[in-house]
Amino acid sequence: MRIAVFASGSGSNFAAILQAIREDWLTDTEVALLVCDKPGAHVIDRADAYGVPTFVFQPKQYADKAEFEKEILARLREAGVELIVLAGYMRLIGETLLQAYGGRIINIHPSLLPSFAGKDAIGQAFRYGVKITGITVHFVDEGMDTGPIIAQCALPIHEDDTEQSLAERIHEEEHILLPQVIQAIVNRTVRIESRKVTII
Ligand code: GRF
């Protein structure tokens, strides 16, 4: 399956997907395109290092979201992309992409949704004082981190954790869970009935 990864920042999840493919525990998958809305983001260097084609754009140079999403859509189609993986893409997906790729867009979020949606989820959970947090991979709908949940992984917050040490553990787990979910989708074992997602 040809996939596109959308990212805005460091791209450690992007690299984890590429590494999983290289190490052969994510199979039958090719990262056909990186889409990045932040020229200069580190994820672009990572894509170059892995030889992944990129589409980098400046949202401000377009009239509105529909305009840049039309351009993204053309690139996705050109690259034969079947699945979009949002991994640190700091924007809501608009109607243009949702209509074309509805049910074929997933996102990774660093909390146990529906708790701590939106930005800085790790900091939100840490400051709130919850004892357990985690990671969620979900289908994307028009809301902010609201789509049907595919998989979650819980992590305890230890008394001696700092926000930094918690973030490190969360990222380690993300780098395992996201390739696993992609594999399940590639294997076509993911079923969705209203909000309930099962992996058969
Ligand atoms: C991850 O924590 C992901 O869950 C969130 O954004 C972060 C991206 O990190 N959506 P990276 O760019 O993959 O390192």
Side-chain angles (χ1 to χ4, degrees):
M1 185 179 288
R2 293 170 70 77
I3 71 171
V5 178
F6 286 28
S8 306
S10 147
S12 70
N13 281 286
F14 169 82
I17 295 166
L18 269 298
Q19 213 43 44
I21 292 170
R22 214 170 249 192
E23 290 166 10
D24 229 20
W25 58 277
L26 172 53
T27 61
D28 306 307
T29 306
E30 188 182 336
V31 181
L33 189 66
L34 167 76
V35 173
C36 178
D37 61 339
K38 289 260 158 46
H42 185 47
V43 68
I44 300 163
D45 302 327
R46 297 196 201 246
D48 292 343
Y50 280 101
V52 173
T54 57
F55 172 57
V56 181
F57 68 102
Q58 279 266 29
K60 273 187 280 179
Q61 290 178 348
Y62 295 81
D64 53 25
K65 183 175 294 211
E67 284 307 305
F68 65 72
E69 286 200 343
K70 265 187 230 159
E71 173 122 24
I72 294 173
L73 191 54
R75 308 290 180 122
L76 294 172
R77 287 189 166 143
E78 203 176 84
V81 167
E82 290 174 75
L83 173 72
I84 297 174
V85 177
L86 309 184
Y89 182 66
M90 303 304 284
R91 280 175 193 282
L92 279 180
I93 296 297
E95 237 180 76
T96 308
L97 284 176
L98 279 173
Q99 265 173 23
Y101 277 88
R104 296 187 293 150
I105 310 176
I106 63 170
N107 178 46
I108 183 154
H109 183 78
S111 75
L112 288 178
L113 289 171
S115 294
F116 310 118
K119 282 187 187 157
D120 187 26
I122 299 173
Q124 287 187 57
F126 188 78
R127 286 189 297 275
Y128 195 92
V130 292
K131 306 297 184 198
I132 295 173
T133 185
I135 305 153
T136 303
V137 182
H138 62 93
F139 284 113
V140 170
D141 61 13
E142 61 290 341
M144 165 98 77
D145 303 322
T146 52
I149 290 171
I150 307 167
Q152 290 185 305
C153 163
L155 284 171
I157 300 184
H158 304 308
E159 270 172 21
D160 60 352
D161 258 328
T162 60
E163 202 178 309
Q164 181 61 29
S165 64
L166 174 63
E168 277 164 22
R169 289 210 315 287
I170 284 188
H171 293 315
E172 269 172 35
E173 295 298 329
E174 284 186 328
H175 299 164
I176 298 166
L177 189 66
L178 184 55
Q180 284 176 340
V181 171
I182 295 170
Q183 185 73 75
I185 292 173
V186 168
N187 292 349
R188 302 186 194 279
T189 57
V190 178
R191 298 277 177 278
I192 174 163
E193 223 176 290
S194 66
R195 280 200 62 92
K196 202 159 156 36
V197 179
T198 42
I199 300 178
I200 54 167

